[in-house]
């Protein structure tokens, strides 16, 4: 990891990350977070997360710093763009404004135990009323498509 820039403030009832920018194996990302009222009903004043991750590059980096499982091979891309603001209240989920997307592109996972790679692509849309994963998984020549609507996730 390089090019890490951050300004973080913590106290007993709030967390504020004015900015956290990073470069992880050539992939840039940023996080902005301001949460207050942690001891009551948490209030997200700002949440803004964005990153594009190349799993192959992450694997190459990880192999240098940890014992990587033999035969495990990752490829593909994950894109994250999530924003939120409002109260995190299970009784009133409409008070949280959440919008975002997680994109999965050309993900391939191969292990010693599997003769063929598992391939994954799709997206997950997020909002306070519905989480909507639309994902296609290819396992040993068989397609599995997931198209869900998870209503009222909070």
């Amino acid at each position: 990891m390089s090019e890490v820039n951050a300004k973080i403030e913590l106290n007993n009832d709030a967390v504020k990350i004015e900015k956290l920018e990073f470069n992880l194996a050539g992939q840039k990302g940023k996080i902005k977070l301001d949460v207050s009222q942690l001891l009551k009903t948490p209030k997200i004043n700002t949440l803004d997360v964005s990153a594009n991750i190349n799993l192959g590059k992450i694997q190459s980096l990880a192999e240098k710093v940890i014992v990587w499982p033999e035969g495990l091979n990752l490829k593909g891309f994950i894109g994250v763009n999530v924003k939120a603001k409002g109260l995190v209240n299970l009784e009133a989920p409409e008070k949280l404004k959440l919008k975002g997307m997680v994109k999965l592109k050309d993900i391939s996972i191969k292990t010693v135990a599997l003769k063929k790679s598992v391939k994954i692509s799709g997206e997950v849309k997020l909002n306070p009323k519905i989480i909507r994963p639309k994902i296609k998984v290819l396992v040993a020549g068989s397609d599995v498509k997931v198209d869900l609507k998870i209503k009222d996730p909070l």
Side-chain angles (χ1 to χ4, degrees):
M1 186 180 288
S2 63
E3 300 174 33
V4 178
N5 296 306
K7 182 175 180 185
I8 302 170
E9 297 175 24
L10 304 169
N11 67 44
N12 62 350
D13 197 35
V15 175
K16 186 173 185 177
I17 301 173
E18 195 167 297
K19 73 173 184 176
L20 172 58
E21 297 172 339
F22 58 88
N23 184 333
L24 180 61
Q27 273 97 169
K28 296 188 182 232
K30 68 177 183 175
I31 300 169
K32 199 175 201 183
L33 175 68
D34 181 359
V35 181
S36 57
Q37 301 177 184
L38 290 173
L39 302 176
K40 301 175 192 168
T41 301
K43 181 179 180 188
I44 299 174
N45 302 303
T46 305
L47 171 65
D48 188 353
V49 179
S50 65
N52 291 302
I53 301 163
N54 177 324
L55 295 175
K57 287 185 177 184
I58 298 297
Q59 177 178 336
S60 294
L61 175 65
E63 288 172 339
K64 294 175 185 172
V65 295
I66 64 170
V67 177
W68 190 258
E70 189 174 329
L72 177 60
N73 191 9
L74 302 176
K75 294 180 182 173
F77 302 89
I78 299 174
V80 179
N81 192 340
V82 176
K83 296 181 187 247
K85 191 173 193 172
L87 291 174
V88 181
N89 184 338
L90 301 180
E91 310 283 315
E94 70 279 357
K95 295 192 179 211
L96 178 64
K97 291 176 179 29
L98 170 68
K99 184 176 182 180
M101 172 91 66
V102 177
K103 291 187 179 186
L104 311 170
K105 183 179 177 194
D106 301 326
I107 294 177
S108 173
I109 303 167
K110 188 169 185 178
T111 69
V112 174
L114 300 171
K115 291 183 181 181
K116 292 187 175 184
S117 297
V118 174
K119 298 185 186 244
I120 304 168
S121 60
E123 63 187 28
V124 180
K125 293 181 181 176
L126 306 167
N127 71 55
K129 297 197 182 231
I130 296 176
I131 295 177
R132 181 84 194 257
K134 285 185 170 183
I135 299 171
K136 180 179 176 183
V137 181
L138 180 63
V139 182
S142 298
D143 282 358
V144 177
K145 291 183 180 176
V146 177
D147 188 352
L148 298 174
K149 285 184 183 177
I150 303 168
K151 293 184 178 182
D152 298 323
L154 296 179

